[in-house]
Amino acid sequence: MLIFLVMLLVLPPHTTCKAHIVKCHVHDPHPPLHKYHQSGDLILGGIASQSYIISNALAFAEDPPQVLPEELVMVPKNYQHILALAFAVKEINCNPQMLPNTTLGFHIFDSYFIARGTYHATLLLTSSPDRFVPNYKCDTQNDLIGVIGGLDPLTSLYAATVLDIYKIPQLTYGPAPIMHDKTPGLSFYQMVPQEALQYKGILSLLLHFKWIWIGLLTMELENGEQFVQTVVPMFSSSGICFAFIERIPKVSFITELKDMIQECAKICDKIMGSKANVMVLYGESYSMIFLRWFPYLSEEEEIGEDARGKVWIMTAQMELTSAVFQKTWDTQIIHGALFFTIHSNALPEFHKFLEHISPSTTDGDYFIKDFWQQAFACVFPSTVTDVMDPNICTGEENLEMLPTPFFEMSMTGHSYCIYNAVYAMAHALHVMSSSRLNSRLLEDNRKLTSQVYQLWQARPISVCSKRCIPGSSKKMKEGKPFCCYDCIPCPEGKISDQKDTIDCATCSDQTYPNKNHNFCIPKEISFLSFEEPVGLSLAFSALSGSLVTILVLFTFMKNHNTPIVKANNRQLTYTLLLSLLLCFLSALLFIGQPQMVTCLLRQTAFGIVFSVAVSCVLAKTLTVVLAFMATKPGSRMRKWIEMNE
């Protein structure tokens, strides 16, 4: 358009200009090999990581070719991540209390553990489902409300750079990526615990077994380097030394395989030849596939038994996974390995859900076919060549027969994080649909999808002061209109359970305020009873002391007129014994359910009688001191005592 306007300005007034219409053809990229689609009113996006691409290097001289099947290294165990998302969506749609009159759907694509695959998957999620046109949607349905992914930090980072443009939240089920100044503002809702907690756990484990000579092995990635920079000073300050620190190179192209194998062979020999028998390994989710190569990469002819006895300590991001070609490989290297795992609860319904999974019963799932063929080492009839393969997939194969590195029937830690992420989004939608704001929007006959998609935009707000939240009250500003005020926290003993409360209320005698002062908590009645062991033992002690005191008092009364009793100051002794007896008996007032009389008596009664007992002891002590002072020759104290007598 700009060129056309310039031509009009340059050409003479009577010059004839012929317009040429040029069509711009937008070529779609190669369609994704793996996807899983389920329609719904609201759509959750999913970025899975099931296959690892090792492709030829791109020359950027022509359009990149379609990925060939031989370039895919599948991680069958990660297929459970996809099923966990589908299972959570199914549970929510079957729950009428969660999202009434609204169906939740999902779109899942594979990132292939590379930037190109991740960007492609993210753009597919943000485009129209039928045609790949970035930044354009031709309908108001299939609104993307959030994305769950990715498994590894870089996958999450690549996806976030696109999702942040559309203000679409991302819930990651792996560690958060390392942020730099060049990528500020990207937000991640991390569903897994912070990795720093694992570092303390590894340190405690090493110190417990007195493993102070260890090796450190990481993947050659930013998160691996951060792990080294964090744990080396932490472990060193606790007396742990490092025999070596090695980094496994990451391979992206087939041309790099030879160099990677040679480098890994050197690392393997260094590890196996080291006297350090404990190895701490930090890596990505697929690192176990590289670790299982080690016994086959060694340049030594035979690995000794001592080298096989290494103890591997692995972080929670790593899982016991295996590539298809490693199904029959020896697992000796990981025997005795210690894994930190992500917390996961047992879900019996998920086990039942997996029992009914098969290629014939799953619609819209383009992952399951390749998973099924590689996991069960069979071929579906539609893909059989002219040479008939005896291993034909029937679709009736049992997932429970697969080994643990290939698939698990119980939910893994990463799958449980995906399950929680789906429920987190569903609960957020439920809260939004029940809020007052959405009630007003629903009056305009707008659908929940448009509300979710537009909620991030900045609506104009015109208020003098923000509303006071529960737990606070309004304090008017002097010289300001009544709509201008400060919010002050409720004082001790008072609460406010509504917004914009003028004054805080006092809790009843049977309740007390909570920490946030926004509601009253019932008081728990707790007292020391005679039926409890502590109360029974205290009562027995009090009665035993009373009995001993009575016996001593009876002894003194029986020998009332003896010289020793007279010399012991009879009146003061009787007062002391009676006060001690009352002290023991007053302890019984503190046992049992408090009553009005006991509450009034027990404090004052014990205080009085105990004071009398202490006073008697001091008086007797003073009497003894005076008696010794009076026995000294020429003492004036003797004359004063005789005069008093």
Side-chain angles (χ1 to χ4, degrees):
M1 178 63 72
L2 181 60
I3 297 175
F4 181 72
L5 291 175
V6 171
M7 290 176 64
L8 290 178
L9 293 174
V10 173
L11 290 175
H14 300 288
T15 302
T16 303
C17 179
K18 295 182 180 180
H20 295 277
I21 301 175
V22 179
K23 293 184 178 180
C24 179
H25 298 281
V26 179
H27 298 282
D28 290 350
H30 298 293
L33 295 177
H34 302 100
K35 63 180 180 178
Y36 192 176
H37 170 73
Q38 180 175 307
S39 60
D41 300 322
L42 303 175
I43 298 297
L44 268 177
I47 299 180
S49 298
Q50 184 178 0
S51 301
Y52 188 87
I53 297 179
I54 304 180
S55 61
N56 293 311
L58 300 178
F60 296 98
E62 57 183 1
D63 292 339
Q66 177 72 297
V67 176
L68 300 177
E70 56 267 20
E71 295 177 339
L72 293 178
V73 179
M74 183 169 287
V75 185
K77 192 169 187 176
N78 290 0
Y79 181 59
Q80 193 196 86
H81 303 165
I82 301 168
L83 297 180
L85 194 153
F87 171 71
V89 170
K90 179 182 178 182
E91 275 194 341
I92 292 170
N93 288 334
C94 293
N95 186 355
Q97 305 298 325
M98 184 64 70
L99 294 175
N101 303 322
T102 304
T103 304
L104 197 61
F106 56 83
H107 289 164
I108 306 176
F109 297 99
D110 201 340
S111 70
Y112 301 106
F113 293 98
I114 58 173
R116 181 181 61 174
T118 304
Y119 282 120
H120 188 196
T122 310
L123 290 173
L124 286 171
L125 290 173
T126 55
S127 303
S128 298
D130 297 329
R131 187 171 183 182
F132 180 78
V133 183
N135 203 32
Y136 175 76
K137 293 182 70 68
C138 60
D139 56 17
T140 58
Q141 298 180 352
N142 297 313
D143 280 336
L144 186 67
I145 59 172
V147 174
I148 299 176
L151 175 59
D152 296 313
L154 287 180
T155 303
S156 303
L157 180 60
Y158 300 147
T161 55
V162 177
L163 297 176
D164 185 64
I165 300 174
Y166 301 94
K167 301 298 185 292
I168 297 175
Q170 181 186 11
L171 287 76
T172 68
Y173 56 100
I178 299 174
M179 304 303 296
H180 298 287
D181 295 336
K182 62 182 180 181
T183 56
L186 300 183
S187 59
F188 306 92
Y189 300 90
Q190 193 172 350
M191 303 304 298
V192 297
Q194 295 293 329
E195 285 193 328
L197 300 175
Q198 299 183 51
Y199 306 161
K200 296 179 181 178
I202 295 174
L203 179 59
S204 299
L205 185 66
L206 296 174
L207 294 177
H208 176 76
F209 289 104
K210 296 181 175 58
W211 291 333
I212 60 173
W213 184 240
I214 67 171
L216 200 61
L217 190 63
T218 68
M219 295 290 291
E220 200 171 28
L221 297 170
E222 283 187 298
N223 282 65
E225 191 61 33
Q226 185 188 47
F227 173 77
V228 173
Q229 295 177 4
T230 303
V231 302
V232 168
M234 179 193 299
F235 290 7
S236 299
S237 61
S238 299
I240 294 177
C241 300
F242 296 90
F244 56 84
I245 300 176
E246 294 292 339
R247 296 164 178 83
I248 302 175
K250 183 181 180 181
V251 59
S252 300
F253 302 108
I254 296 176
T255 54
E256 300 173 353
L257 277 176
K258 183 178 180 181
D259 296 336
M260 188 273 290
I261 292 175
Q262 292 177 351
E263 186 67 23
C264 288
K266 295 178 182 178
I267 296 174
C268 177
D269 290 335
K270 188 172 184 178
I271 293 174
M272 297 307 177
S274 173
K275 293 183 180 179
N277 291 323
V278 177
M279 311 294 160
V280 177
L281 177 58
Y282 177 92
E284 303 297 343
S285 57
Y286 52 83
S287 300
M288 182 58 65
I289 297 175
F290 288 91
L291 182 64
R292 295 191 64 187
W293 271 99
F294 272 25
Y296 303 93
L297 296 176
S298 177
E299 296 179 356
E300 303 293 334
E301 294 183 359
E302 184 178 357
I303 300 178
E305 291 298 325
D306 294 338
R308 289 179 178 267
K310 306 289 185 182
V311 177
W312 296 88
I313 301 176
M314 306 182 191
T315 53
Q317 179 64 4
M318 298 183 60
E319 289 187 303
L320 182 58
T321 57
S322 176
V324 175
F325 58 84
Q326 296 172 325
K327 190 172 184 178
T328 60
W329 285 18
D330 184 18
T331 58
Q332 181 67 32
I333 192 171
I334 57 175
H335 284 180
L338 302 176
F339 280 86
F340 281 76
T341 60
I342 302 172
H343 170 72
S344 175
N345 284 334
L347 298 175
E349 294 299 323
F350 182 66
H351 191 281
K352 297 178 182 178
F353 174 77
L354 296 181
E355 290 177 348
H356 297 87
I357 292 296
S358 69
S360 59
T361 60
T362 306
D363 296 328
D365 185 0
Y366 290 85
F367 288 89
I368 191 170
K369 189 174 182 180
D370 285 341
F371 161 77
W372 209 268
Q373 290 183 144
Q374 297 206 28
F376 293 103
C378 61
V379 180
F380 282 101
S382 59
T383 60
V384 176
T385 58
D386 296 337
V387 180
M388 294 300 295
D389 194 318
N391 298 323
I392 300 297
C393 296
T394 63
E396 302 297 328
E397 289 81 4
N398 192 355
L399 290 175
E400 292 183 312
M401 301 302 295
L402 293 175
T404 300
F406 267 41
F407 195 81
E408 286 191 52
M409 296 297 287
S410 58
M411 187 171 282
T412 63
H414 286 115
S415 297
Y416 190 65
C417 291
I418 297 174
Y419 178 83
N420 287 335
V422 177
Y423 267 90
M425 291 296 300
H427 282 293
L429 293 170
H430 179 75
V431 172
M432 291 172 61
S433 64
S434 59
S435 65
R436 296 180 181 178
L437 175 61
N438 286 335
S439 298
R440 290 196 295 268
L441 292 176
L442 286 174
E443 292 176 1
D444 298 332
N445 296 323
R446 296 183 182 180
K447 294 184 178 180
L448 178 61
T449 53
S450 62
Q451 301 167 23
V452 174
Y453 194 73
Q454 301 295 333
L455 191 65
W456 61 268
Q457 298 178 345
R459 293 184 177 90
I461 299 175
S462 180
V463 295
C464 180
S465 300
K466 293 183 179 180
R467 302 186 67 184
C468 295
I469 63 174
S472 62
S473 61
K474 297 197 296 186
K475 180 183 179 182
M476 299 303 171
K477 296 182 178 180
E478 294 185 5
K480 298 289 184 180
F482 68 91
C483 58
C484 299
Y485 49 82
D486 293 326
C487 296
I488 58 174
C490 291
E492 288 295 329
K494 292 188 176 183
I495 61 105
S496 65
D497 56 358
Q498 297 180 356
K499 293 183 177 180
D500 288 341
T501 305
I502 298 177
D503 192 14
C504 298
T506 306
C507 292
S508 63
D509 295 337
Q510 289 76 29
T511 58
Y512 65 96
N514 68 327
K515 183 179 180 180
N516 296 326
H517 294 272
N518 53 12
F519 64 90
C520 295
I521 303 174
K523 294 181 179 178
E524 294 183 0
I525 300 176
S526 178
F527 56 88
L528 191 62
S529 65
F530 289 98
E531 288 78 12
E532 296 178 357
V534 178
L536 187 62
S537 60
L538 290 177
F540 178 77
S541 300
L543 293 176
S544 300
S546 301
L547 182 60
V548 172
T549 307
I550 292 173
L551 291 175
V552 175
L553 180 60
F554 179 75
T555 303
F556 270 79
M557 292 177 63
K558 185 177 180 181
N559 302 280
H560 181 71
N561 295 318
T562 58
I564 191 171
V565 174
K566 291 180 179 180
N568 201 36
N569 200 332
R570 290 176 297 185
Q571 290 77 9
L572 201 58
T573 301
Y574 291 152
T575 305
L576 175 60
L577 290 173
L578 287 174
S579 60
L580 286 175
L581 177 61
L582 294 175
C583 280
F584 284 120
L585 295 177
S586 63
L588 299 176
L589 296 175
F590 292 86
I591 306 176
Q593 186 171 1
Q595 302 295 334
M596 182 63 68
V597 177
T598 57
C599 286
L600 294 175
L601 283 179
R602 59 188 183 184
Q603 300 288 348
T604 55
F606 179 78
I608 293 172
V609 296
F610 186 75
S611 299
V612 173
V614 173
S615 301
C616 293
V617 173
L618 292 176
K620 290 177 70 66
T621 304
L622 183 60
T623 303
V624 174
V625 172
L626 292 175
F628 275 100
M629 292 177 63
T631 56
K632 293 182 180 180
S635 176
R636 296 181 181 179
M637 188 64 67
R638 181 175 183 179
K639 296 178 181 179
W640 184 79
I641 293 177
E642 290 177 352
M643 289 175 62
N644 288 337
E645 291 179 352

